[in-house]
Amino acid sequence: MRAMILDAPGKPLRLADLPLPTPSSNQVLIQVHTCGICRTDLHIIDGELTNPKLPLIPGHQIVGKIVKIGEKVTKFRVGERVGVPWLGHTCNHCRYCLAGRENLCDQAQFTGYQINGGYAEYTVASDRFCFPIPPNYPDLQAAPLLCAGLIGYRAFRMVEDAKNIGFYGFGAAAHILVQVARYQNRQVFAFTRPGDTEGQEFARSLGAVWADSSDKFPPEPLDAAIIFASLGSLVPAALKTVCKGGIVVCAGIHMSDIPTFPYEILWGERILRSVANLTRQDGEEFLALAPQIPIHTEVEAFPLTAANEALESLRSGKICGAAVLVVD
């Protein structure tokens, strides 16, 4: 099979021919159709997330068809279409797993980080961490649901019943979650990097009631804010926009250092919290909800061999919506 390989952080991916992986007793072999490109992939490739498995096949928003199953697999059959997310393995017996918080498992392993991912023609995955894909989603549109959608949904649930919600960074996750917010009769205020008028117009076209630069204040106080961008400087900026009792959620797996800020902007029982990974329950709930809305994902497609070009487009902010590799 062909695959894009990361040999060392800071280096471009290389195209390689590899043997087909063999599924273990609890795994499925998947012929990859599409794989979404996530900012987390950039954090791994750029060395901001340390100690990846090397050499590594990145990618954790995988959509494909099962072509072989391990002898103990009963959940799926050959020919079924499935999705593979970021969370790829948990111990199933630690305090977090037993409490329904498997996303915090100390022994967790992640697709495209410690486990080879979907920048390849085939991949193997644990049957426990695969999801059936809703039938009305084509492969291309389904891929962003598996991380941008799932992690975004987990972050969105953390703002509780907030009506006015700020989205800092309007990319793959925000363009999905604004549709959830509208479905639930909430208002989204979109913040983009300064000068990104295209991103602001994109946000308004999807239903944001206001869109402007991240250094601006919204026209009214917010009940909550979700920071999808990886800039720590956005934390105090978001705290300043939320009212007393408001919630600020940091939705990324990696963020630059948060600068010091006066206690005054946290005081008033404002809440600052992070999101770590996802649970299978998040996946089941969100993939059931997506067709009801229905969520439409805006994607820009790249061939597998153009993975480096796609990553650079994401890094430079040239993607409206989500970037997706078309493998098959």
Side-chain angles (χ1 to χ4, degrees):
M1 69 173 189
R2 295 182 307 163
M4 297 299 291
I5 304 291
L6 175 68
D7 290 309
K11 293 187 176 182
L13 306 182
R14 65 176 173 87
L15 181 65
D17 289 317
L18 300 175
L20 226 60
T22 301
S24 67
S25 61
N26 294 108
Q27 289 182 321
V28 295
L29 175 64
I30 299 167
Q31 182 182 11
V32 179
H33 294 170
T34 59
C35 184
I37 294 178
C38 180
R39 186 157 294 277
T40 301
D41 299 338
L42 282 178
H43 294 319
I44 294 168
I45 291 165
D46 293 345
E48 293 166 330
L49 287 179
T50 58
N51 302 316
K53 168 192 175 298
L54 292 174
L56 172 71
I57 302 173
H60 58 272
Q61 300 181 92
I62 305 166
V63 177
K65 180 178 68 176
I66 294 175
V67 294
K68 188 175 182 180
I69 62 174
E71 58 188 22
K72 294 183 180 179
V73 174
T74 59
K75 184 179 178 182
F76 297 106
R77 296 181 180 180
V78 170
E80 287 190 73
R81 190 172 65 136
V82 295
V84 183
W86 171 245
L87 185 63
H89 168 82
T90 58
C91 73
N92 217 31
H93 58 73
C94 70
R95 59 183 291 190
Y96 300 112
C97 288
L98 294 176
R101 305 172 74 191
E102 63 183 6
N103 60 310
L104 302 179
C105 175
D106 288 331
Q107 304 303 315
Q109 294 182 358
F110 303 101
T111 311
Y113 188 28
Q114 290 99 6
I115 303 169
N116 278 332
Y119 288 19
E121 292 177 325
Y122 292 85
T123 192
V124 291
S126 166
D127 67 329
R128 293 171 54 217
F129 294 93
C130 294
F131 297 112
I133 297 295
N136 49 334
Y137 280 95
D139 297 334
L140 196 61
Q141 275 68 43
L145 300 177
L146 292 160
C147 184
L150 296 187
I151 297 295
Y153 177 68
R154 185 172 182 83
F156 187 78
R157 285 170 55 208
M158 290 181 177
V159 304
E160 301 175 354
D161 59 354
K163 294 298 183 183
N164 289 351
I165 310 169
F167 284 1
Y168 282 81
F170 204 88
H175 101 280
I176 291 173
L177 271 298
V178 69
Q179 298 174 63
V180 178
R182 288 186 63 199
Y183 179 73
Q184 296 181 354
N185 296 314
R186 310 193 201 200
Q187 294 193 124
V188 169
F189 298 74
F191 298 82
T192 72
R193 66 181 71 190
D196 184 10
T197 55
E198 183 180 358
Q200 293 159 21
E201 181 55 39
F202 180 50
R204 286 189 286 267
S205 73
L206 289 175
V209 298
W210 176 90
D212 211 322
S213 301
S214 58
D215 56 357
K216 301 290 179 63
F217 279 87
E220 54 189 289
L222 304 178
D223 302 308
I226 304 175
I227 303 175
F228 293 109
S230 58
L231 295 175
S233 59
L234 293 176
V235 171
L239 283 169
K240 291 176 183 178
T241 67
V242 298
C243 60
K244 288 184 284 187
I247 302 168
V248 174
V249 180
C250 301
I253 192 171
H254 172 83
M255 181 175 273
S256 60
D257 289 348
I258 300 171
T260 58
F261 57 85
Y263 177 63
E264 178 186 3
I265 64 174
L266 180 61
W267 187 79
E269 299 193 353
R270 293 174 179 87
I271 298 168
L272 175 62
R273 64 177 305 172
S274 68
V275 169
N277 314 313
L278 72 145
T279 67
R280 283 171 286 175
Q281 183 178 347
D282 295 328
E284 291 162 3
E285 289 181 6
F286 177 72
L287 292 175
L289 175 65
Q292 296 176 30
I293 294 176
I295 289 172
H296 174 74
T297 55
E298 297 282 346
V299 301
E300 185 171 345
F302 296 82
L304 174 64
T305 53
N308 288 310
E309 175 188 337
L311 288 160
E312 186 52 41
S313 293
L314 179 61
R315 181 183 283 110
S316 58
K318 295 179 181 178
I319 303 293
C320 271
V324 178
L325 295 180
V326 179
V327 181
D328 177 54

